[in-house]
Amino acid sequence: MLKAFFQLTVIFTFGLIFLAKYLNHKTGRTEENKRKKNEAKELAARTIRAKHQAGLPLAIDEDCVIINEENCFVIQGGGNTFELKKDKVTAISVAPQFINQVTYNDLGRSSNINRMGMTFTYQINNEIKYMSFWMWYGNSNNINKANRWSVEIRNRNVNHNRIEI
């Protein structure tokens, strides 16, 4: 009797799973979910989360999202959205920043805080400006994206502007 009950439970469970998959496929929800998931993945591949340091009218350490669009970088932070055209960007530098502040871990040992800085240098009206951000050193995805963006801008700007000083 118990064995028959178990068999009916297994058959009923598989039947429900099959019915749910069939209904999702028939209504197109599966395709829509896949499309939304792919869009989210594609956006994440073009996005860096960082903290603002200088160059924008934002507070220091304001959380920002930087999105690499086809023709510009979109920076969202502090309730504002800024757009930096790629043809204005002369360089993106990515370099480690070591902070003198000391923290203590669980074992009582001290350690320095390490983070990566990312600076956009750009030119507007023959004036060179910059904006800088930082990312945690351990976030290799953000650092790899920033390095790729730097190479993209370097390859785009093979003929550097000559500015008299």
Side-chain angles (χ1 to χ4, degrees), residues 59-81:
I60 293 176
D61 288 342
E62 181 73 38
D63 288 327
C64 291
V65 174
I66 306 168
I67 304 168
N68 185 352
E69 298 288 351
E70 187 174 335
N71 296 318
C72 66
F73 293 100
V74 175
I75 299 107
Q76 299 171 337
N80 299 297
T81 300

Side-chain angles (χ1 to χ4, degrees), residues 108-127:
R109 297 183 188 140
S110 64
S111 61
N112 291 325
I113 298 174
N114 298 333
R115 60 188 192 184
M116 291 296 283
M118 178 171 61
T119 302
F120 290 83
T121 305
Y122 59 100
Q123 184 176 2
I124 294 181
N125 299 329
N126 283 336
E127 187 178 343

Side-chain angles (χ1 to χ4, degrees), residues 135-160:
M135 308 163 283
W136 290 113
Y137 191 74
N139 190 338
S140 61
N141 285 336
N142 278 349
I143 294 166
N144 290 337
K145 288 178 208 174
N147 283 322
R148 282 195 306 271
W149 296 1
S150 175
V151 170
E152 174 190 344
I153 293 299
R154 193 175 320 122
N155 290 340
R156 181 180 268 229
N157 294 334
V158 290
N159 298 325
H160 295 287

